[in-house]
Amino acid sequence: MLILTASLLVVTLLNYVLPRHRSYFRAHEQGVKQQSEKRILLVSSMFMLDKPKHSPEGYLNWLTRLLGPITTEIYFYTSPDLASTVLSARGEGLPITVDTTYRSVFDVPPLKGRQADYEAMQENDWYHSAELYGVWNAKPFFVDNAVRKMAEMGFTFDYVFWNDGGSFREDTVYKDWPSPERVEEVWKEGSRITGTPMEDLLFYPTYRPPADRFRTWNESDGPIDTHFSEGSFFGGTPKTVAWWARTFYAYHDHYLKQGLFIGKDQTVFNSIFLLFPQRIFTVWVYDEKSPAIDGLLHYAPNMTRGALGSCGPEWFYYQYWLSDPRTQEEMQEVWLTHDREPEKARWWKIRTPCRVTNSLAMLDLLKRRFGDKWEPPRATIPTPPLEWQTRTNV
């Protein structure tokens, strides 16, 4: 059973000898060069689980849709026995770095020695496994560590993103994704609307803002268990993902010591969103105040195929949103030709080309939900550099 998460893989097997003391290697060292000056790294992973959410065949199918066509540099974490599977899924000649340092997610530094704690949390959860909790909570480490390992090999990046390996679940035309030009464009917009420098901004997609009952939430109330953040994709500059790892594990460890449930990464993400909203910007496909919805039949939602038109699975709207304009047009044609949900769609539903909505400042989104007078609760948990961060600079 497999579980997928995103990382960076760059490998050239010809004339490349892996040093004995290293458990990561690079393939296609002379791989595809990005046309933009801005260099992007994608990070993901795949580990064997005893209790997966989906079938191994499903995961491998999704993985191929990520590793096959996407030309962006990839750093990929997996166990040694799965390395060949990952390599075989990568498109011919495309850059990937495979890291086989960790046989289990409980071998990664921030989770080492925590397996018993995770198994105790899982006792009342029949659907998820302790290992799956570990995969989810290893993401901030995986992203930050990937940047540092690539720097050791002489490769630096302007932006680094986590991307779940199972997030490409349908056929797409994405290749140079996310578009470096589009990323730079939305980061400039994010900086403008948040007032935060681009290098300090973190991006996360939003599924649904938290309910009004969280208006008075504060740090001591613990993780926020609601479908607010989308943990399948996030990122920023190397400086920002280092801050994110420090902050995430500070609150992860704090809440774990209190005996609170932190198995689902999104619950901790959500809490940090309320504590540090000024550092985060987002995209929300269901934003009813977005200019992009003008003219859509939202007074008759059963007549349309999506909040912003025919946009495919809306959880993954950010994939389209972070594409270049030409690719967006090509995906519009794909979705207009093929039903988004063939088993549910009907001939009489209106097909509208997918639209591009605007960026949102997280603070503005939360004030919209909680009221203009709402202010972020005070954050008191120290977030010192983590052990692996003290050994390397990026």
Side-chain angles (χ1 to χ4, degrees):
M1 290 66 168
L2 306 173
I3 187 70
L4 300 176
T5 49
S7 85
L8 178 66
L9 189 57
V10 185
V11 189
T12 301
L13 300 181
L14 295 178
N15 302 319
Y16 188 85
V17 179
L18 178 65
R20 291 174 184 264
H21 67 283
R22 282 170 55 181
S23 48
Y24 57 93
F25 56 96
R26 187 175 169 80
H28 308 311
E29 201 140 348
Q30 304 300 320
V32 176
K33 302 295 183 182
Q34 291 178 313
Q35 299 301 311
S36 169
E37 293 182 358
K38 299 300 178 182
R39 291 179 54 81
I40 293 176
L41 175 66
L42 290 179
V43 183
S44 193
S45 72
M46 178 174 72
F47 289 93
M48 188 76 71
L49 298 182
D50 292 332
K51 189 179 178 182
K53 288 183 66 177
H54 305 282
S55 70
E57 295 77 18
Y59 278 123
L60 290 174
N61 179 270
W62 296 337
L63 179 64
T64 300
R65 286 178 168 149
L66 167 66
L67 297 183
I70 302 301
T71 62
T72 305
E73 298 253 9
I74 295 178
Y75 193 101
F76 205 96
Y77 295 89
T78 193
S79 54
D81 56 312
L82 294 175
S84 60
T85 300
V86 172
L87 286 172
S88 66
R90 187 60 169 149
E92 184 176 357
L94 298 182
I96 187 168
T97 298
V98 180
D99 191 330
T100 60
T101 304
Y102 310 107
R103 293 181 176 274
S104 162
V105 290
F106 292 112
D107 291 330
V108 305
L111 303 184
K112 200 171 184 66
R114 301 284 176 79
Q115 186 168 355
D117 294 327
Y118 274 57
E119 290 174 348
M121 283 192 295
Q122 189 270 334
E123 288 180 356
N124 296 320
D125 185 351
W126 64 270
Y127 188 57
H128 303 113
S129 68
E131 292 172 302
L132 183 56
Y133 294 161
V135 168
W136 287 337
N137 285 335
K139 293 177 186 180
F141 165 77
F142 282 152
V143 173
D144 183 44
N145 185 65
V147 177
R148 297 171 189 277
K149 292 301 183 184
M150 292 301 290
E152 289 177 2
M153 291 187 281
F155 299 91
T156 59
F157 298 88
D158 299 288
Y159 297 96
V160 55
F161 296 101
W162 172 265
N163 189 84
D164 279 2
S167 62
F168 284 77
R169 301 190 177 187
E170 62 176 11
D171 293 331
T172 69
V173 298
Y174 303 130
K175 292 182 180 179
D176 184 16
W177 183 89
S179 162
E181 293 81 6
R182 176 63 176 160
V183 168
E184 187 75 355
E185 176 187 356
V186 299
W187 246 256
K188 289 178 180 178
E189 175 66 5
S191 180
R192 185 188 68 80
I193 62 178
T194 61
T196 299
M198 292 171 62
E199 63 267 25
D200 294 329
L201 275 179
L202 179 71
F203 173 79
Y204 260 87
T206 290
Y207 179 68
R208 183 174 58 215
D212 186 69
R213 70 178 184 274
F214 294 108
R215 180 195 305 264
T216 59
W217 179 92
N218 63 64
E219 185 180 75
S220 64
D221 292 329
I224 297 175
D225 191 3
T226 188
H227 293 298
F228 177 11
S229 61
E230 292 188 18
S232 55
F233 182 89
F234 63 85
T237 65
K239 177 184 177 183
T240 290
V241 298
W243 167 80
W244 182 242
R246 291 196 307 272
T247 306
F248 176 82
Y249 291 114
Y251 281 90
H252 168 279
D253 294 354
H254 174 72
Y255 289 141
L256 185 61
K257 287 178 182 177
Q258 292 185 321
L260 299 175
F261 178 79
I262 48 83
K264 298 177 184 177
D265 56 343
Q266 288 161 275
T267 66
V268 182
F269 294 165
N270 296 341
S271 301
I272 300 174
F273 286 7
L274 267 66
L275 292 167
F276 303 97
Q278 69 279 3
R279 293 202 60 161
I280 302 164
F281 77 109
T282 187
V283 64
W284 183 28
V285 69
Y286 302 114
D287 181 8
E288 295 181 352
K289 293 188 177 182
S290 169
I293 70 170
D294 289 349
L296 291 177
L297 296 178
H298 284 281
Y299 58 85
N302 291 331
M303 290 293 292
T304 59
R305 291 176 183 255
L308 291 173
S310 299
C311 297
E314 290 169 328
W315 181 272
F316 303 115
Y317 174 78
Y318 59 82
Q319 295 173 353
Y320 170 80
W321 192 72
L322 289 172
S323 300
D324 63 86
R326 180 174 179 179
T327 299
Q328 289 175 349
E329 291 179 1
E330 292 177 358
M331 282 307 302
Q332 288 173 357
E333 290 300 317
V334 169
W335 287 323
L336 288 174
T337 302
H338 304 285
D339 286 332
R340 178 168 62 93
E341 296 178 305
E343 74 279 7
K344 297 179 181 179
R346 298 292 183 266
W347 64 268
W348 42 264
K349 285 199 172 186
I350 298 171
R351 297 184 181 186
T352 305
C354 188
R355 299 185 178 189
V356 179
T357 190
N358 53 290
S359 304
L360 283 172
M362 184 59 69
L363 181 58
D364 292 343
L365 180 59
L366 291 171
K367 281 180 176 288
R368 188 192 299 182
R369 178 54 58 97
F370 298 147
D372 291 339
K373 294 183 179 180
W374 180 84
E375 294 295 335
R378 184 166 173 259
T380 67
I381 304 302
T383 58
L386 298 160
E387 186 273 333
W388 73 85
Q389 294 178 331
T390 62
R391 298 196 304 263
T392 58
N393 294 315
V394 293

